[in-house]
CSV table of all heavy atoms in Angstrom, one decimal:
chain,number,residue,atom,x,y,z
A,411,LEU,N,65.2,195.5,-8.0
A,411,LEU,CA,64.8,195.9,-9.3
A,411,LEU,C,65.6,195.4,-10.5
A,411,LEU,O,65.3,195.6,-11.6
A,411,LEU,CB,64.5,197.4,-9.4
A,411,LEU,CG,63.4,197.9,-8.5
A,411,LEU,CD1,63.4,199.4,-8.4
A,411,LEU,CD2,62.0,197.4,-8.8
A,412,VAL,N,66.8,194.9,-10.2
A,412,VAL,CA,67.5,194.3,-11.3
A,412,VAL,C,67.1,192.9,-11.7
A,412,VAL,O,67.4,192.4,-12.7
A,412,VAL,CB,69.1,194.2,-10.9
A,412,VAL,CG1,69.6,195.6,-10.5
A,412,VAL,CG2,69.3,193.2,-9.7
A,413,TYR,N,66.2,192.3,-10.9
A,413,TYR,CA,65.7,191.0,-11.2
A,413,TYR,C,64.4,191.0,-12.0
A,413,TYR,O,63.6,191.9,-11.9
A,413,TYR,CB,65.4,190.2,-9.8
A,413,TYR,CG,66.5,189.8,-9.0
A,413,TYR,CD1,66.8,190.4,-7.7
A,413,TYR,CD2,67.4,188.8,-9.6
A,413,TYR,CE1,67.9,190.0,-7.1
A,413,TYR,CE2,68.5,188.4,-8.7
A,413,TYR,CZ,68.7,189.0,-7.6
A,413,TYR,OH,69.8,188.6,-6.7
A,414,LYS,N,64.3,189.9,-12.8
A,414,LYS,CA,62.9,189.6,-13.4
A,414,LYS,C,62.1,188.9,-12.3
A,414,LYS,O,62.5,187.9,-11.8
A,414,LYS,CB,63.1,188.7,-14.6
A,414,LYS,CG,61.8,188.5,-15.4
A,414,LYS,CD,62.0,187.7,-16.7
A,414,LYS,CE,60.7,187.5,-17.4
A,414,LYS,NZ,60.9,186.8,-18.7
A,415,GLY,N,61.0,189.5,-12.1
A,415,GLY,CA,60.2,189.1,-10.9
A,415,GLY,C,59.6,187.7,-11.2
A,415,GLY,O,59.3,187.4,-12.4
A,416,ILE,N,59.6,186.8,-10.2
A,416,ILE,CA,59.1,185.5,-10.3
A,416,ILE,C,58.7,185.1,-8.9
A,416,ILE,O,59.3,185.5,-8.0
A,416,ILE,CB,60.1,184.5,-11.0
A,416,ILE,CG1,59.3,183.1,-11.2
A,416,ILE,CG2,61.3,184.4,-10.2
A,416,ILE,CD1,60.2,182.2,-12.0
A,417,ASP,N,57.7,184.3,-8.8
A,417,ASP,CA,57.1,183.8,-7.4
A,417,ASP,C,58.0,182.6,-6.9
A,417,ASP,O,57.6,181.5,-6.8
A,417,ASP,CB,55.7,183.4,-7.4
A,417,ASP,CG,55.1,183.2,-6.0
A,417,ASP,OD1,55.8,183.5,-5.1
A,417,ASP,OD2,54.0,182.8,-6.0
A,418,LYS,N,59.3,183.0,-6.6
A,418,LYS,CA,60.2,182.0,-6.0
A,418,LYS,C,61.3,182.8,-5.3
A,418,LYS,O,61.6,183.9,-5.7
A,418,LYS,CB,60.8,181.0,-6.9
A,418,LYS,CG,61.8,181.6,-7.9
A,418,LYS,CD,62.6,180.6,-8.6
A,418,LYS,CE,63.9,181.2,-9.2
A,418,LYS,NZ,64.9,180.2,-9.8
A,419,PRO,N,62.0,182.2,-4.3
A,419,PRO,CA,63.1,183.1,-3.7
A,419,PRO,C,64.3,183.2,-4.8
A,419,PRO,O,64.8,182.2,-5.4
A,419,PRO,CB,63.6,182.1,-2.6
A,419,PRO,CG,62.4,181.2,-2.3
A,419,PRO,CD,61.7,181.0,-3.6
A,420,LEU,N,64.6,184.5,-5.1
A,420,LEU,CA,65.5,184.7,-6.1
A,420,LEU,C,67.0,184.6,-5.6
A,420,LEU,O,67.4,185.1,-4.7
A,420,LEU,CB,65.3,186.2,-6.6
A,420,LEU,CG,64.0,186.5,-7.3
A,420,LEU,CD1,63.7,188.0,-7.3
A,420,LEU,CD2,64.1,186.0,-8.8
A,421,LYS,N,67.7,183.9,-6.4
A,421,LYS,CA,69.1,183.8,-6.2
A,421,LYS,C,69.9,184.9,-7.0
A,421,LYS,O,69.4,185.4,-7.9
A,421,LYS,CB,69.7,182.4,-6.7
A,421,LYS,CG,69.1,181.2,-5.9
A,421,LYS,CD,69.7,179.9,-6.4
A,421,LYS,CE,69.3,178.7,-5.5
A,421,LYS,NZ,69.8,178.7,-4.2
A,422,GLU,N,71.1,185.1,-6.6
A,422,GLU,CA,72.0,186.2,-7.2
A,422,GLU,C,72.2,185.9,-8.6
A,422,GLU,O,72.4,186.9,-9.4
A,422,GLU,CB,73.2,186.3,-6.4
A,422,GLU,CG,73.2,186.9,-5.1
A,422,GLU,CD,72.8,185.9,-3.9
A,422,GLU,OE1,72.4,184.7,-4.2
A,422,GLU,OE2,72.8,186.4,-2.7
A,423,THR,N,72.1,184.7,-9.1
A,423,THR,CA,72.4,184.3,-10.4
A,423,THR,C,71.1,184.3,-11.3
A,423,THR,O,71.2,183.9,-12.5
A,423,THR,CB,73.1,182.9,-10.5
A,423,THR,OG1,72.3,182.0,-9.7
A,423,THR,CG2,74.4,183.0,-9.9
A,424,ASP,N,70.0,184.5,-10.8
A,424,ASP,CA,68.7,184.4,-11.5
A,424,ASP,C,68.6,185.6,-12.5
A,424,ASP,O,69.3,186.6,-12.6
A,424,ASP,CB,67.5,184.6,-10.6
A,424,ASP,CG,67.2,183.1,-10.0
A,424,ASP,OD1,67.4,182.2,-10.6
A,424,ASP,OD2,66.6,183.1,-8.8
A,425,GLU,N,67.7,185.4,-13.5
A,425,GLU,CA,67.5,186.3,-14.6
A,425,GLU,C,67.3,187.7,-14.2
A,425,GLU,O,66.5,188.0,-13.3
A,425,GLU,CB,66.3,185.8,-15.5
A,425,GLU,CG,66.2,186.6,-16.7
A,425,GLU,CD,65.2,186.1,-17.6
A,425,GLU,OE1,64.5,185.0,-17.3
A,425,GLU,OE2,64.8,186.7,-18.7
A,426,MET,N,68.0,188.6,-14.9
A,426,MET,CA,67.9,190.0,-14.6
A,426,MET,C,66.9,190.7,-15.7
A,426,MET,O,66.7,190.2,-16.8
A,426,MET,CB,69.2,190.7,-14.5
A,426,MET,CG,70.1,190.1,-13.6
A,426,MET,SD,71.8,190.7,-13.6
A,426,MET,CE,71.6,192.3,-12.8
A,427,GLU,N,66.4,191.8,-15.3
A,427,GLU,CA,65.5,192.6,-16.2
A,427,GLU,C,65.5,194.1,-15.8
A,427,GLU,O,65.6,194.4,-14.7
A,427,GLU,CB,64.2,192.0,-16.2
A,427,GLU,CG,63.2,192.7,-17.1
A,427,GLU,CD,61.7,192.1,-17.0
A,427,GLU,OE1,61.2,192.0,-15.9
A,427,GLU,OE2,61.3,191.6,-18.1
A,428,SER,N,65.5,195.0,-16.8
A,428,SER,CA,65.6,196.3,-16.4
A,428,SER,C,64.3,197.1,-17.0
A,428,SER,O,64.2,197.3,-18.1
A,428,SER,CB,66.8,197.1,-17.0
A,428,SER,OG,67.0,196.7,-18.4
A,429,LYS,N,63.4,197.4,-16.1
A,429,LYS,CA,62.2,198.1,-16.5
A,429,LYS,C,62.2,199.6,-16.2
A,429,LYS,O,61.3,200.3,-16.5
A,429,LYS,CB,61.0,197.5,-15.8
A,429,LYS,CG,60.5,196.1,-16.3
A,429,LYS,CD,59.3,195.7,-15.6
A,429,LYS,CE,58.8,194.3,-16.2
A,429,LYS,NZ,57.5,193.9,-15.7
A,430,THR,N,63.2,200.0,-15.4
A,430,THR,CA,63.4,201.4,-15.0
A,430,THR,C,64.8,201.9,-15.3
A,430,THR,O,65.8,201.1,-15.4
A,430,THR,CB,63.1,201.6,-13.5
A,430,THR,OG1,64.0,201.0,-12.8
A,430,THR,CG2,61.6,201.1,-13.2
A,431,ILE,N,65.0,203.2,-15.3
A,431,ILE,CA,66.3,203.8,-15.5
A,431,ILE,C,67.2,203.4,-14.3
A,431,ILE,O,68.3,203.2,-14.4
A,431,ILE,CB,66.3,205.4,-15.6
A,431,ILE,CG1,65.4,205.7,-16.9
A,431,ILE,CG2,67.6,205.9,-15.8
A,431,ILE,CD1,66.0,205.2,-18.2
A,432,TYR,N,66.5,203.5,-13.1
A,432,TYR,CA,67.2,203.1,-11.9
A,432,TYR,C,67.7,201.7,-12.0
A,432,TYR,O,68.9,201.4,-11.6
A,432,TYR,CB,66.3,203.3,-10.7
A,432,TYR,CG,66.8,202.9,-9.3
A,432,TYR,CD1,67.8,203.6,-8.8
A,432,TYR,CD2,66.3,202.0,-8.6
A,432,TYR,CE1,68.4,203.3,-7.5
A,432,TYR,CE2,66.8,201.6,-7.3
A,432,TYR,CZ,67.8,202.4,-6.9
A,432,TYR,OH,68.3,202.0,-5.6
A,433,ALA,N,67.0,200.8,-12.4
A,433,ALA,CA,67.5,199.4,-12.6
A,433,ALA,C,68.6,199.3,-13.5
A,433,ALA,O,69.6,198.6,-13.3
A,433,ALA,CB,66.3,198.5,-13.0
A,434,VAL,N,68.4,200.0,-14.7
A,434,VAL,CA,69.5,200.0,-15.7
A,434,VAL,C,70.9,200.6,-15.0
A,434,VAL,O,72.0,200.0,-15.2
A,434,VAL,CB,69.2,200.9,-16.9
A,434,VAL,CG1,70.3,201.2,-17.7
A,434,VAL,CG2,68.0,200.3,-17.6
A,435,ASN,N,70.7,201.7,-14.2
A,435,ASN,CA,71.9,202.2,-13.6
A,435,ASN,C,72.6,201.1,-12.7
A,435,ASN,O,73.8,201.1,-12.7
A,435,ASN,CB,71.5,203.5,-12.7
A,435,ASN,CG,71.0,204.6,-13.4
A,435,ASN,OD1,70.2,205.4,-12.9
A,435,ASN,ND2,71.4,204.8,-14.7
A,436,LYS,N,71.8,200.5,-11.8
A,436,LYS,CA,72.4,199.5,-10.9
A,436,LYS,C,73.0,198.4,-11.6
A,436,LYS,O,74.1,197.9,-11.2
A,436,LYS,CB,71.3,199.0,-10.0
A,436,LYS,CG,70.8,200.1,-9.0
A,436,LYS,CD,71.9,200.5,-8.1
A,436,LYS,CE,71.4,201.4,-7.0
A,436,LYS,NZ,72.5,201.9,-6.1
A,437,ILE,N,72.4,197.9,-12.7
A,437,ILE,CA,73.0,196.8,-13.5
A,437,ILE,C,74.3,197.2,-14.1
A,437,ILE,O,75.3,196.6,-14.1
A,437,ILE,CB,72.0,196.3,-14.6
A,437,ILE,CG1,70.8,195.5,-14.0
A,437,ILE,CG2,72.8,195.3,-15.5
A,437,ILE,CD1,69.7,195.3,-14.9
A,438,ALA,N,74.3,198.5,-14.5
A,438,ALA,CA,75.6,199.0,-15.2
A,438,ALA,C,76.6,199.1,-14.1
A,438,ALA,O,77.9,198.8,-14.4
A,438,ALA,CB,75.3,200.4,-15.8
A,439,CYS,N,76.2,199.6,-13.0
A,439,CYS,CA,77.2,199.8,-11.8
A,439,CYS,C,77.8,198.4,-11.3
A,439,CYS,O,79.1,198.4,-11.2
A,439,CYS,CB,76.6,200.5,-10.7
A,439,CYS,SG,76.3,202.3,-11.0
A,440,GLU,N,77.0,197.4,-11.3
A,440,GLU,CA,77.6,196.3,-10.9
A,440,GLU,C,78.6,195.7,-12.0
A,440,GLU,O,79.7,195.2,-11.6
A,440,GLU,CB,76.5,195.1,-10.9
A,440,GLU,CG,75.5,195.3,-9.7
A,440,GLU,CD,74.4,194.2,-9.6
A,440,GLU,OE1,74.6,193.2,-10.4
A,440,GLU,OE2,73.5,194.4,-8.8
A,441,GLY,N,78.4,196.0,-13.3
A,441,GLY,CA,79.3,195.7,-14.3
A,441,GLY,C,80.6,196.5,-14.3
A,441,GLY,O,81.7,196.0,-14.5
A,442,LEU,N,80.3,197.8,-13.9
A,442,LEU,CA,81.6,198.7,-13.9
A,442,LEU,C,82.5,198.2,-12.6
A,442,LEU,O,83.8,198.2,-12.8
A,442,LEU,CB,81.1,200.1,-13.6
A,442,LEU,CG,80.5,200.8,-14.7
A,442,LEU,CD1,79.8,202.1,-14.3
A,442,LEU,CD2,81.5,201.1,-15.8
A,443,LEU,N,82.0,197.8,-11.5
A,443,LEU,CA,82.7,197.4,-10.4
A,443,LEU,C,83.6,196.1,-10.8
A,443,LEU,O,84.7,196.0,-10.4
A,443,LEU,CB,81.9,197.1,-9.2
A,443,LEU,CG,81.3,198.4,-8.6
A,443,LEU,CD1,80.1,197.9,-7.7
A,443,LEU,CD2,82.3,199.1,-7.8
A,444,ASN,N,82.9,195.2,-11.5
A,444,ASN,CA,83.6,194.0,-12.0
A,444,ASN,C,84.7,194.4,-12.9
A,444,ASN,O,85.8,193.8,-12.9
A,444,ASN,CB,82.6,193.0,-12.6
A,444,ASN,CG,83.2,191.7,-12.7
A,444,ASN,OD1,83.9,191.1,-11.7
A,444,ASN,ND2,83.3,191.1,-13.9
A,445,ALA,N,84.4,195.3,-13.9
A,445,ALA,CA,85.5,195.6,-14.9
A,445,ALA,C,86.7,196.3,-14.2
A,445,ALA,O,87.9,195.9,-14.6
A,445,ALA,CB,84.9,196.6,-15.9
A,446,TYR,N,86.5,197.2,-13.3
A,446,TYR,CA,87.6,197.8,-12.6
A,446,TYR,C,88.4,196.9,-11.7
A,446,TYR,O,89.6,197.1,-11.5
A,446,TYR,CB,87.1,199.1,-11.9
A,446,TYR,CG,87.0,200.3,-12.7
A,446,TYR,CD1,86.0,200.5,-13.6
A,446,TYR,CD2,88.0,201.3,-12.7
A,446,TYR,CE1,85.9,201.5,-14.5
A,446,TYR,CE2,87.9,202.4,-13.5
A,446,TYR,CZ,86.8,202.6,-14.3
A,446,TYR,OH,86.7,203.7,-15.2
A,447,ARG,N,87.7,195.9,-11.2
A,447,ARG,CA,88.4,194.9,-10.3
A,447,ARG,C,89.3,194.0,-11.2
A,447,ARG,O,90.5,193.8,-10.8
A,447,ARG,CB,87.4,193.9,-9.6
A,447,ARG,CG,88.0,192.9,-8.7
A,447,ARG,CD,86.9,192.0,-8.1
A,447,ARG,NE,86.3,191.2,-9.0
A,447,ARG,CZ,86.8,190.0,-9.4
A,447,ARG,NH1,87.9,189.5,-8.9
A,447,ARG,NH2,86.2,189.2,-10.2
Side-chain angles (χ1 to χ4, degrees):
L411 294 170
V412 302
Y413 288 112
K414 183 173 183 179
I416 186 171
D417 191 3
K418 71 162 194 173
L420 290 159
K421 293 180 177 291
E422 289 82 355
T423 53
D424 277 332
E425 185 176 357
M426 301 173 79
E427 184 176 55
S428 51
K429 288 187 174 182
T430 65
I431 300 300
Y432 178 63
V434 172
N435 294 155
K436 291 298 187 180
I437 292 171
C439 287
E440 290 184 11
L442 288 167
L443 287 163
N444 192 51
Y446 276 78
R447 182 181 68 88

